Amino acid sequence: MNSKLPPPNGWIILDKPHGLGSTQAVAAVKRNLREAGFAKTKVGHGGTLDPLAEGVLPIALGEATKLAGRMLDASKIYEFTVQFGEETSTLDSEGAVVQTSQKRPPMAAIEAILSHFTGDIEQVPPKYSALKIDGKRAYDLARAGEEVEMKTRAVTIHSLTMGSGYEPGRGVGSAFATTSGRPDPFDPGAPLELADAVTLTAHVSKGTYIRSLARDIARALGSVGHVTYLRRIKAGPFLQEQAISLDKLNEIGKGARLEDVMLPLEAGLDDIPALTLTSQQAAAVRQGRVLEGQPQADGLYCAMHREIPVALMELVGGTAKVVRGFNLHDVAE
């Protein structure tokens, strides 16, 4: 007799700890589901985080894996610290130092230069990245000592601001505030406040490498630098407030309720409107048929029936076509 629980459908938002790879995180979710007695479940993540990075890692379960591709395309928000004075081979604290500089940029100069890195920009990805060159991962080629030529790519930086505790004209954190007795960096008669490091927050498009952004900012300021801290605080619609720790995840395998930490499949579609279906329409959509004469505006919709996601649908000129169907059924049907 098979007493396994049916595979769950939804999202676990993991607050990925420093040092854990994204693939290891997926394996941890699979292990906990198995230990909790769930049947074999499809599991995938919505955007790789480097092992040295931490923060929001959306992990899709069951039918939600059909939305993992949308999550890869979604914009993301990061907090990161640039340490000035040393550039490394990996552009983070893991690599060997390849270039040094004694120059430290003034705080006011850092604030002023951020607008030059906002909007549509070109960047060269790190040599130590998962991008493929002639079918091989760039980081594998770099580790093997091969010369890796990375091509410039276009990305969008939606916003780039000074990090937590920052007030314009007041430096970063209370240590740079005029109330602490230190000089105002915008007072022409005051000595310049030089920064050994700075923490920034960036809202970026898919394909953006924060390590490359940090490198380019440091160079533009007449110095060199690398990332010492990197945290993703938002991925698509998912926020760090929704994320659970690895310890909390491991409680699932020990009997904790999955429902208490799993978000529903439609949570990954919070940024698109719902299209309410009748029972007859829901049956048609599940067969892949189009719906004619829809009054809603053109765009992408999450078709719902009795609060159950039926399909992701594209509506053009009153005709709604299935983009992605979900194999979820209301128990009342």
Side-chain angles (χ1 to χ4, degrees):
M1 179 174 142
N2 187 354
S3 59
K4 285 187 179 293
L5 298 167
N9 301 290
W11 298 90
I12 288 178
I13 312 305
L14 183 67
D15 190 338
K16 189 190 82 63
H18 182 278
L20 186 76
S22 298
T23 303
Q24 291 173 299
V26 168
V29 170
K30 286 182 176 179
R31 185 189 72 248
N32 275 280
L33 293 177
R34 187 170 62 249
E35 290 173 355
F38 287 94
K40 188 174 181 180
T41 305
K42 279 188 76 173
V43 180
H45 65 73
T48 301
L49 267 181
D50 291 340
L52 294 186
E54 58 185 63
V56 176
L57 180 64
I59 298 180
L61 313 180
E63 289 294 289
T65 57
K66 293 177 179 178
L67 300 175
R70 286 193 82 245
M71 209 54 58
L72 296 175
D73 291 340
S75 67
K76 299 170 179 70
I77 301 179
Y78 296 89
E79 278 184 353
F80 62 105
T81 299
V82 186
Q83 177 71 47
F84 298 109
E86 293 182 339
E87 186 175 304
T88 67
S89 57
T90 57
L91 303 181
D92 58 26
S93 53
E94 189 177 47
V97 175
V98 293
Q99 197 174 346
T100 61
S101 172
Q102 296 302 312
K103 293 182 179 179
R104 298 295 183 271
M107 295 302 302
I110 297 172
E111 181 188 358
I113 208 167
L114 297 185
S115 62
H116 295 277
F117 288 92
T118 306
D120 296 331
I121 67 168
E122 302 267 321
Q123 70 170 200
V124 178
K127 292 181 179 179
Y128 286 82
S129 65
L131 290 176
K132 285 190 175 181
I133 299 175
D134 297 329
K136 295 182 179 179
R137 298 287 185 189
Y139 56 66
D140 287 333
L141 296 172
R143 285 170 185 155
E146 295 186 34
E147 189 57 39
V148 180
E149 185 179 347
M150 306 301 293
K151 293 181 179 178
T152 301
R153 54 163 45 179
V155 297
T156 302
I157 312 298
H158 301 293
S159 66
L160 182 61
T161 57
M162 300 292 249
S164 55
Y166 173 72
E167 295 177 39
R170 300 286 291 275
V172 175
S174 59
F176 288 95
T178 53
T179 53
S180 67
R182 304 193 59 153
D184 182 346
F186 289 118
D187 178 356
L192 288 173
E193 287 286 354
L194 302 181
D196 282 318
V198 67
T199 297
L200 305 172
T201 300
H203 180 196
V204 303
S205 69
K206 70 169 184 175
T208 302
Y209 280 91
I210 298 297
R211 287 176 290 151
S212 294
L213 184 61
R215 172 199 63 203
D216 296 342
I217 289 171
R219 288 180 180 179
L221 288 164
S223 183
V224 292
H226 65 281
V227 171
T228 56
Y229 165 78
L230 177 59
R231 179 174 180 80
R232 187 155 69 194
I233 59 176
K234 189 171 187 284
F238 298 121
L239 306 169
Q240 64 180 352
E241 290 78 13
Q242 297 169 295
I244 64 168
S245 66
L246 191 60
D247 287 343
K248 190 92 171 174
L249 172 66
N250 289 332
E251 288 175 10
I252 295 168
K254 298 171 185 172
R257 279 166 43 93
L258 175 63
E259 295 85 352
D260 292 342
V261 297
M262 184 178 73
L263 300 178
L265 176 147
E266 59 268 28
L269 299 170
D270 266 2
D271 54 339
I272 69 170
L275 178 66
T276 303
L277 305 179
T278 65
S279 295
Q280 188 176 0
Q281 288 173 325
V285 169
R286 287 190 176 113
Q287 293 170 7
R289 287 153 56 189
V290 302
L291 299 180
E292 303 284 359
Q294 298 302 302
Q296 293 85 354
D298 290 0
L300 197 63
Y301 288 83
C302 179
M304 305 282 291
H305 179 238
R306 294 178 181 164
E307 299 185 358
I308 303 292
V310 177
L312 198 58
M313 302 190 78
E314 184 78 42
L315 202 158
V316 179
T319 299
K321 294 182 178 180
V322 175
V323 175
R324 210 70 157 142
F326 304 122
N327 189 25
L328 302 170
H329 291 278
D330 190 329
V331 292
E333 290 182 51

